[in-house]
Amino acid sequence: MGKTLSYIPPSLKGDKLVVQLEEADIVEQEAYWSTALIGFSIMMMDIISSNFAMISDRDLVMQSGPYTYRNRLVILRNWEIDFEFNPECLNKLFLWIKFHSLPLGYWSAEALSKLASVVGKPMYTDKYTAAMERISYARVLVETDISHPLPNRVEISTPSGIIHQNLTYDSVPKFCVDCNLFGHNSDECQKKKKVETEEPQAQHP
């Protein structure tokens, strides 16, 4: 059975109808979705959601990725109140970074946060990095804008001197900065090639 609704007239500002939503109108939905993950399957145009009993359960799932669905990479995002499903606006996603051969002296939360901030907003380390059970590389999850170039090397200034640190990434999806869509890069963009083909050729005397 669906929800029972009631008529609440909108207000009028000039010639515009305006609907005013108050905090009390959305608090129930905020509480329900606050522990949810939203998943978007690249190319399949499928969107899935999963709700968890606790935020810690949601974060554990996020930290255990990346995931695939029907052999396609799934982009996971924490639910937000203004989330809107629009494939053309999903350029922000979570990526795992690996800092290979990073000296253990720089594995503190503060140091890893500074390193990961080169790419985007740091979220978590994986459990092996946290426990230092696998010391060949540190692995950090970041939220980043895939439309910007991803650095593969960073200079670290330490009390002992300069370190040049390499970065690698897990499962980076193809993203076209020309049409703002996943599934292909700029060199493979048919829309870009079509525009270039249609542009008039320069006239030579």
Side-chain angles (χ1 to χ4, degrees):
M1 182 177 177
K3 294 181 179 180
T4 300
L5 306 180
S6 56
Y7 176 71
I8 303 173
S11 58
L12 192 62
K13 280 188 177 181
D15 59 351
K16 292 191 300 185
L17 292 173
V18 178
V19 175
Q20 179 67 47
L21 295 180
E22 307 294 345
E23 192 68 31
D25 300 326
I26 62 177
V27 64
E28 180 182 345
Q29 291 298 103
E30 281 188 309
Y32 179 82
W33 289 102
S34 62
T35 57
L37 281 177
I38 304 297
F40 171 68
S41 178
I42 295 175
M43 298 297 291
M44 301 298 293
M45 293 303 177
D46 290 328
I47 189 166
I48 54 178
S49 65
S50 297
N51 218 330
F52 301 89
M54 297 182 294
I55 289 179
S56 59
D57 293 334
R58 179 200 67 186
D59 291 348
L60 181 60
V61 169
M62 181 71 81
Q63 294 177 44
S64 300
Y67 300 96
T68 58
Y69 174 62
R70 297 181 183 176
N71 296 320
R72 302 286 186 177
L73 181 67
V74 174
I75 297 173
L76 292 179
R77 296 176 60 176
N78 293 335
W79 178 85
E80 297 174 343
I81 187 65
D82 57 352
F83 172 80
E84 176 186 3
F85 175 58
N86 183 352
E88 295 187 3
C89 297
L90 292 177
N91 54 312
K92 286 190 176 180
L93 72 163
F94 293 98
L95 288 179
W96 285 101
I97 312 171
K98 291 177 181 175
F99 298 98
H100 290 272
S101 303
L102 179 68
L104 292 175
Y106 309 122
W107 282 44
S108 67
E110 292 78 9
L112 290 174
S113 293
K114 288 182 178 181
L115 282 169
S117 294
V118 170
V119 178
K121 178 184 176 182
M123 304 301 294
Y124 331 92
T125 69
D126 67 7
K127 62 182 180 179
Y128 301 107
T129 300
M132 290 188 286
E133 294 178 353
R134 177 209 56 230
I135 61 175
S136 56
Y137 59 84
R139 189 166 176 257
V140 181
L141 185 70
V142 298
E143 182 182 26
T144 189
D145 187 341
I146 194 68
S147 66
H148 296 158
L150 297 173
N152 54 28
R153 191 172 175 85
V154 63
E155 181 179 292
I156 309 172
S157 179
T158 78
S160 302
I162 300 297
I163 296 175
H164 293 96
Q165 177 65 47
N166 292 327
L167 290 69
T168 61
Y169 303 88
D170 290 358
S171 302
V172 179
K174 288 184 177 181
F175 182 83
C176 179
V177 296
D178 292 295
C179 63
N180 209 35
L181 289 175
F182 286 100
H184 63 274
N185 56 36
S186 182
D187 293 335
E188 301 168 337
C189 183
Q190 295 301 317
K191 183 177 180 180
K192 177 183 176 182
K193 291 179 180 178
K194 182 179 179 181
V195 171
E196 291 175 347
T197 301
E198 292 175 350
E199 287 181 351
Q201 299 296 317
Q203 298 294 323
H204 298 284

